[in-house]
C-alpha cells in the first residue's frame, strides 16, 4: 500500500492534520443544467420508486434556485452545457475530481463510472476542463475498477488531504491514482449501507475541525478514522440522512451550508456551529439519490 494511503488507525502513526500543508479553498463551482434529467433505470435504492416520475419543470426551477443559493453565498457558478441523452449529467460531482497539486497546478482527474449510461458524461467534462486551464488526468483501469469523482473523494477543508469512500461505486485500489495525481494523502473510508452508496451521501465536512456524518453508513474502522481526525463529529438523524440527504449538503468555505429544506436537526447543528444555512428544495433530484453536493463540482484556481 502507498505511504500516502491510510485505511486504519494503525496506518495513521506519525500522521497529523496539523502537519498537512494548507490547501486553497475552492474558487467556485461547476454545475450542469437538468435539461435532460429523468429517472430511467434503478441505479440506487432511491430510484426504485421513481422511474418516469420526475417533474422536469419543477426540477429546472429547483436547479435555478440552487444556482441562486450558491451565488448568494458568494460562490461563483460556472455552467457546463447539458448533453442530450445523458440524464444524470446534472450530478456534476461524479464525473471528475478537481483540485491542485502542491505546485499550484490545476488538475482534473476524470472518473471511470460504474454504470455504462454515465460513462459518456466524462468526456464532456474533460473538454470543459481543458478549455479552462486544467491539466486533465485519466484514471487507468484493467477494465473493471471504477472511480466516481468527488462523489467518493473529498478535499478536507483548507488542508492538503483527501477523504475517499469505497464499497459501492469506487474501488479502493483507485485511491492510489488519486493520491499520485494530486500528490496528496488519502484517508479511505468503507461504506457498508447501500442507501449511502457515495461518500457525499453520509459525510459532510463543515469546517477543518467539524464533520457531519451518518454513522451507520461506515464500518467500525472508518468511524475510528473519522473520530481520530475531526475534533468535532456531528451525527445526522436517520430521517434527515435518508429522506432529506442532509449529509449531501454543500459547505462554502466553512461559512455557508446549502442543504435540502426540512433537514431540521442537521440545519440546527450547522447553525450551532456558526454556519449560515440556506435551505433549498431538491426533492426532484432526491428521487434519483442526489441533492446539493451531487449537483456541483468544486473548482480551484
Amino acid at each position: 500500500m502507498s505511504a500516502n494511503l491510510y485505511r486504519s488507525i494503525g496506518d495513521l502513526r506519525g500522521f497529523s492534520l496539523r502537519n498537512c500543508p494548507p490547501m486553497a479553498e475552492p474558487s467556485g463551482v461547476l454545475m450542469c443544467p437538468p435539461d435532460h434529467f429523468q429517472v430511467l433505470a434503478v441505479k440506487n435504492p432511491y430510484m426504485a420508486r421513481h422511474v418516469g416520475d420526475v417533474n422536469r419543470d419543477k426540477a429546472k426551477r429547483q436547479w435555478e434556485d440552487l444556482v441562486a443559493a450558491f451565488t448568494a453565498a458568494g460562490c461563483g457558478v460556472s455552467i457546463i452545457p447539458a448533453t442530450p441523452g445523458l440524464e444524470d449529467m446534472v450530478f456534476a460531482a461524479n464525473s471528475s475530481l478537481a483540485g491542485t497539486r502542491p505546485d499550484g497546478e490545476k488538475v482534473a482527474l476524470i472518473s471511470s463510472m460504474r454504470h455504462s449510461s454515465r460513462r459518456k458524461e466524462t468526456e464532456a467534462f474533460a473538454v470543459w476542463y481543458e478549455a479552462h486551464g486544467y491539466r486533465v488526468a485519466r484514471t487507468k483501469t484493467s477494465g473493471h475498477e471504477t472511480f466516481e469523482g468527488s462523489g467518493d473523494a473529498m478535499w478536507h477543508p483548507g488542508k492538503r488531504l483527501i477523504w475517499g469512500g469505497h464499497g459501492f461505486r469506487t474501488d479502493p485500489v483507485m485511491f492510489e491514482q488519486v493520491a499520485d495525481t494530486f500528490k496528496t494523502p488519502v484517508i479511505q473510508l468503507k461504506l457498508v449501507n447501500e442507501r449511502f452508496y457515495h461518500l457525499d451521501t453520509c459525510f459532510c465536512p463543515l469546517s477543518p475541525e467539524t464533520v457531519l456524518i451518518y454513522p451507520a453508513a461506515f464500518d467500525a474502522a472508518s468511524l475510528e478514522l473519522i473520530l481520530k481526525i475531526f475534533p468535532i463529529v456531528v451525527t445526522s438523524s436517520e430521517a434527515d440522512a435518508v429522506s432529506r440527504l442532509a449529509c449531501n449538503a454543500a459547505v462554502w468555505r466553512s461559512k455557508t451550508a446549502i442543504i435540502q429544506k426540512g433537514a431540521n436537526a442537521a440545519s440546527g447543528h450547522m447553525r450551532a456551529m456558526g454556519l449560515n444555512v440556506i435551505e433549498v428544495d431538491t426533492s426532484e433530484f432526491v428521487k434519483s439519490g442526489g441533492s446539493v453536493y451531487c449537483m456541483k463540482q468544486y473548482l480551484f484556481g
Side-chain angles (χ1 to χ4, degrees), residues 7 19 36 89 96 144 214 233 282:
R7 295 188 289 200
N19 294 333
H36 312 290
M89 192 172 168
S96 62
H144 302 287
Y214 182 62
V233 177
T282 62

Side-chain angles (χ1 to χ4, degrees), residues 42-102:
V42 177
K43 300 168 191 157
N44 64 60
Y46 293 89
M47 304 171 94
R49 295 175 288 110
H50 296 296
V51 173
D53 187 34
V54 170
N55 182 324
R56 301 274 292 277
D57 291 336
K58 186 176 180 181
K60 180 69 170 178
R61 292 193 299 272
Q62 291 179 353
W63 182 85
E64 291 170 346
D65 288 345
L66 180 56
V67 172
F70 277 111
T71 302
C75 172
V77 179
S78 298
I79 306 297
I80 182 173
T83 301
L86 301 182
E87 72 275 9
D88 293 320
M89 192 172 168
V90 66
F91 298 117
N94 304 138
S95 290
S96 62
L97 173 65
T100 60
R101 291 162 62 103

Side-chain angles (χ1 to χ4, degrees), residues 11-12 19 77 80 102-103 135 168 212 240 263 266 268 281 293:
D11 295 335
L12 286 177
N19 294 333
V77 179
I80 182 173
D103 62 3
R135 182 172 68 82
F168 296 98
L212 171 71
D240 278 357
D281 183 8
Y293 194 95

Side-chain angles (χ1 to χ4, degrees), residues 174-208:
M174 300 301 286
F175 289 114
E176 292 190 17
Q177 295 183 46
V178 174
D180 183 63
T181 297
F182 294 100
K183 304 304 179 187
T184 297
V186 178
I187 297 178
Q188 295 182 222
L189 305 175
K190 185 174 182 180
L191 307 176
V192 296
N193 184 323
E194 66 176 355
R195 280 193 173 273
F196 303 94
Y197 56 94
H198 276 147
L199 183 62
D200 67 10
T201 64
C202 52
F203 180 90
C204 179
L206 306 180
S207 74

